[in-house]
Amino acid sequence: MRTIFSPLHARHGGNVELTATGVVPAFEKPERAEIIRARVEAVKLGPIEPPTAQDLALARRVHAPDFIDFLPKVYPMWLEAGRTGTAMPFTWPTRGLRGDVPPRFIDGLLGYYSFDAGANFVAGTWDAIRSSYDVALTAADLVADGAHAAFALCRPPGHHAGRAFMGGYCYINNAACAVQRLLDAGAKRVSVLDVDYHHGNGTQEIFWHRADVQVANLHADPMVEYPYFLGHADEVGAGPGEGFNLNYPMPFGTAWDRFGEALDQACRKVADYGPDAIVVSLGVDTFETDPISKFKLKSEDYPKIGARIAALKRPTLFVQEGGYAVAEIGVNAVGVLTGYEGA
């Protein structure tokens, strides 16, 4: 399996985020991608290759064009306002406030284009966002050109980013852009299988009304876990997309028995849908010692995920999402890939 990876991800580092307990160093940090890359090399998964530069035109189709245009302007505007350090929103247009008029000042714009204070900016953040998008589309092209599988080692991740908002460490939705690339290349139907601990709210929102993309999410119950406001089992899509959105919320403490059952249910739905390709949002924050998650999967469970996906016998693109127990992230993420290859 070929891996696409860009060292430019490291330019997004040293930032902070707002959590329930205060402002802390970001859990989503450069070490994550470097440890995964090292593990890919250690197990000899296959070649690691740089991405090719991609036009943002596809991103502007998946996302609102004004949102994409805003992202490279964030840190320059932050500096123009006399600020230093991490650019972070602190106010949002919630119920009862206007969300149809973008403010002019950077503080207002950050809130207008986000849903939390987790997708923040330092000087090199845009370079990392752009390179992550390049990685996703380059890997999607490998699958479109006939590869049975490819790995997009994306950082920052993308599945919390919606059509016109960022959040949860995510800016451009890499998986959603990869799906669109596969459709543009001739696929009639694509399934997204999101196995991250947190619900892929952005991916769900982007494809909510579409029948050519099936979205299946396995995640912690939003009644008690981030992102809280999306991911319930009764969310099935709307209009032409009705029935093509699937959610499998699970309680704190979920271990392999329950997670594996949900995965099997989701995979059966994917098989019934009959996609031409599958895009896996590969989060491994389901791990038992992940610092911001509460599932109980063990390292030996991740190859089982890969083997179950391989049983679908569809061209598959793996796109890296979450996972914050940094010491084990390489073993767990690459475990999914070797489980897929071994099957």
Side-chain angles (χ1 to χ4, degrees):
M1 184 185 304
R2 294 159 71 181
T3 294
I4 307 300
F5 170 78
S6 170
L8 294 181
H9 79 87
R11 296 186 182 179
H12 177 56
N15 53 307
V16 298
E17 64 173 288
L18 176 64
T19 71
T21 58
V23 176
V24 300
F27 286 98
E28 201 291 288
K29 51 191 175 182
E31 292 94 319
R32 299 175 61 250
E34 294 300 333
I35 291 172
I36 296 171
R37 179 196 55 76
R39 184 66 178 178
V40 168
E41 291 180 339
V43 303
K44 297 180 171 56
L45 182 72
I48 299 175
E49 305 167 20
T52 55
Q54 304 290 325
D55 194 286
L56 287 170
L58 186 146
R60 291 188 178 96
R61 291 164 53 208
V62 172
H63 293 278
D66 58 299
F67 169 63
I68 296 298
D69 292 342
F70 172 63
L71 295 177
K73 299 176 183 176
V74 171
Y75 210 71
M77 292 183 71
W78 185 256
L79 296 177
E80 287 170 9
R83 311 282 180 73
T84 58
T86 299
M88 176 170 30
F90 68 91
T91 184
W92 295 269
T94 189
R95 293 173 296 278
L97 300 179
R98 291 192 67 172
D100 62 324
V101 181
R104 294 179 183 174
F105 192 63
I106 184 60
D107 292 338
L109 285 167
L110 280 168
Y112 181 82
Y113 286 116
S114 66
F115 75 94
D116 70 3
N120 302 325
F121 288 75
V122 291
T125 297
W126 170 246
D127 292 337
I129 295 168
R130 182 66 187 266
S131 71
S132 193
Y133 169 76
D134 291 347
V135 165
L137 293 193
T138 302
D141 286 343
L142 296 179
V143 174
D145 290 343
H148 75 281
F151 178 35
L153 209 181
C154 292
R155 181 183 174 270
H159 72 151
H160 292 306
R163 184 174 183 275
F165 60 82
M166 56 191 168
Y169 313 138
C170 301
Y171 306 85
I172 291 177
N173 194 312
N174 302 310
C177 290
V179 166
Q180 190 58 56
R181 182 63 142 237
L182 292 168
L183 292 168
D184 291 348
K188 301 301 182 185
R189 288 183 163 193
V190 177
S191 290
V192 179
L193 181 60
D194 190 322
V195 297
D196 191 279
Y197 172 80
H198 302 96
H199 179 253
N201 59 289
T203 310
Q204 174 172 307
E205 186 251 358
I206 287 169
F207 296 121
W208 184 249
H209 293 94
R210 289 175 60 168
D212 57 346
V213 183
Q214 178 194 55
V215 179
N217 264 282
L218 284 68
H219 55 279
D221 188 344
M223 291 299 291
V224 295
E225 185 57 278
Y226 179 93
Y228 297 111
F229 307 112
L230 215 59
H232 299 281
D234 64 352
E235 298 163 11
V236 297
E242 185 174 357
F244 298 109
N245 191 83
L246 309 166
N247 283 316
Y248 300 88
M250 289 168 275
F252 288 165
T254 289
W256 175 254
D257 54 352
R258 184 157 188 171
F259 189 91
E261 180 182 354
L263 177 63
D264 194 56
Q265 292 174 7
C267 285
R268 288 200 297 268
K269 290 289 188 180
V270 171
D272 291 343
Y273 183 67
D276 297 309
I278 299 169
V279 173
V280 178
S281 275
L282 179 56
V284 292
D285 41 2
T286 48
F287 186 56
E288 60 184 344
T289 64
D290 193 276
I292 62 173
S293 306
K294 296 182 176 66
F295 279 4
K296 298 298 180 184
L297 269 62
K298 300 180 182 298
S299 291
E300 57 263 32
D301 295 326
Y302 292 97
K304 302 173 191 174
I305 296 174
R308 183 61 184 91
I309 295 169
L312 292 167
K313 300 186 184 303
R314 294 288 192 276
T316 303
L317 172 63
F318 293 90
V319 178
Q320 187 63 45
E321 302 284 3
Y324 308 99
V326 174
E328 297 88 356
I329 190 173
V331 170
N332 296 338
V334 180
V336 176
L337 307 178
T338 55
Y340 180 95
E341 293 282 74

